[in-house]
């Protein structure tokens, strides 16, 4: 039987925990697909001084920096949101206001730290 | 016909997802401290990071945990959105084979850094 469902993404208002949750999934999917590419970059970086320089140059260009930021944000968001979920598994911070606070903390910390590292990297 | 999957398997994977998460979550800050403590890198300095056998082992454990974690995560996503088994199962197989290849590739790369 087909039950009725509501899936108008323009009208759905997610609470902050919902955003952290869907971004956890999106970042996880993105990182999973990125693994072979990252291994390829690692291969270049340890293969020869020329390839090492190529990778370093790529990462300092504007496109490279955007990619680096995206990758760092994905890693950090997934890591922090994951730690929050491990906390829930242990029964920590399940109360509503606490859960909302930790959700905001994940969003802000991941974004800020990714930005800091991207800008700080020469 | 035998049903694919089942509750027991789901629970085992649920636990394995947390165990692999812990390995990854310990490795990332650990490696960042190890590498960050050495300042900036040229090619030789970057390679030297991976020279000690303990670092190779830690990195390979990290990659193994990461790949297990990624596969279980993708499985969760496929179960939610890909309801046709003729689509879901081949994709899970494809990722399993690709990730196994990645693990072997990572071992080869790490042990070739002298």
């Amino acid at each position: 039987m087909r039950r009725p469902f509501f899936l108008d993404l323009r009208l759905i208002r997610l609470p902050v925990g919902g955003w952290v949750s869907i971004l956890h999934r999106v970042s996880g999917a993105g990182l999973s697909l990125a693994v072979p590419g990252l291994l390829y970059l690692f291969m270049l970086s340890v293969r020869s001084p020329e390839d090492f320089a190529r990778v370093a140059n790529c990462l300092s260009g504007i496109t490279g920096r955007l990619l680096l930021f995206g990758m760092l944000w994905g890693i950090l968001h997934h890591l922090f949101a994951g730690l929050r979920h491990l906390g829930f598994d242990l029964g920590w911070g399940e109360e509503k206001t606490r859960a909302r606070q930790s959700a905001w903390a994940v969003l802000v910390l991941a974004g800020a730290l990714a930005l800091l590292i991207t800008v700080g990297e020469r | 016909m035998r049903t694919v999957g089942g509750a027991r398997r789901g629970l085992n994977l649920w636990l394995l997802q947390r165990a692999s998460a812990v390995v990854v979550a310990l490795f990332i800050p650990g490696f960042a401290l190890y590498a960050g403590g050495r300042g900036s890198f040229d090619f030789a300095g970057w390679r030297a990071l991976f020279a000690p056998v303990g670092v190779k082992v830690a990195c390979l454990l990290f990659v193994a945990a990461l790949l297990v974690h990624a596969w279980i995560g993708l499985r969760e996503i496929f179960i939610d959105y890909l309801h046709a088994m003729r689509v879901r199962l081949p994709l899970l197989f494809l990722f399993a084979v690709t990730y196994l290849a990645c693990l072997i590739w990572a071992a080869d790369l790490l042990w070739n850094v002298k």
Side-chain angles (χ1 to χ4, degrees):
Chain A
M1 189 185 79
R2 259 184 103 74
R3 282 167 294 178
F5 63 92
F6 177 76
L7 198 64
D8 189 335
L9 291 179
R10 292 160 305 174
L11 292 177
I12 290 176
R13 289 278 171 271
L14 276 180
V16 61
W19 280 106
V20 169
S21 175
I22 190 64
L23 290 175
H24 190 187
R25 173 163 284 203
V26 170
S27 56
L31 291 169
S32 297
L33 298 180
V35 166
L38 291 176
L39 260 181
Y40 179 74
L41 281 183
F42 178 70
M43 178 193 77
L44 289 180
S45 78
V46 293
R47 190 163 69 179
S48 69
E50 293 76 30
D51 287 325
F52 177 85
R54 261 172 62 203
V55 175
N57 273 335
C58 276
L59 287 182
S60 55
I62 183 73
T63 325
R65 253 169 221 265
L66 280 175
L67 274 175
L68 182 69
F69 175 77
M71 193 57 60
L72 280 170
W73 173 81
I75 292 168
L76 291 169
H77 182 88
H78 201 85
L79 180 65
F80 293 152
L83 289 175
R84 178 170 171 266
H85 276 286
L86 284 178
F88 290 157
D89 287 343
L90 298 172
W92 297 343
E94 285 178 308
E95 189 246 329
K96 190 169 152 191
T97 47
R98 279 262 169 259
R100 290 219 165 141
Q101 286 166 346
S102 62
W104 277 111
V106 167
L107 283 178
V108 172
L109 271 179
L113 206 52
L115 201 63
L116 270 177
I117 300 175
T118 313
V119 174
E121 184 250 1
R122 290 150 301 110
Chain B
M1 201 177 110
R2 208 185 143 93
T3 14
V4 185
R8 285 278 315 256
R9 183 168 148 77
L11 180 63
N12 290 340
L13 289 181
W14 183 89
L15 264 177
L16 191 54
Q17 188 69 334
R18 271 123 192 103
S20 54
V22 168
V23 174
V24 173
L26 287 174
F27 176 87
I28 290 179
F31 190 81
L33 284 177
Y34 166 66
R38 310 197 162 203
S40 63
F41 298 108
D42 54 2
F43 176 65
W46 174 245
R47 275 176 67 98
L49 272 187
F50 302 95
V53 70
V55 177
K56 291 186 206 295
V57 171
C59 286
L60 193 60
L61 271 179
F62 159 70
V63 173
L66 185 76
L67 291 170
V68 165
H69 192 82
W71 189 85
I72 298 174
L74 286 176
R75 179 178 175 271
E76 295 292 318
I77 294 177
F78 293 165
I79 287 173
D80 280 353
Y81 307 128
L82 301 176
H83 296 190
M85 282 297 177
R86 71 191 144 72
V87 181
R88 192 197 293 169
L89 290 181
L91 265 179
L92 284 173
F93 176 74
L94 178 77
F95 273 99
V97 172
T98 306
Y99 283 169
L100 199 53
C102 281
L103 182 66
I104 298 166
W105 188 19
D108 178 63
L109 288 175
L110 283 164
W111 263 266
N112 270 314
V113 178
K114 297 294 190 300

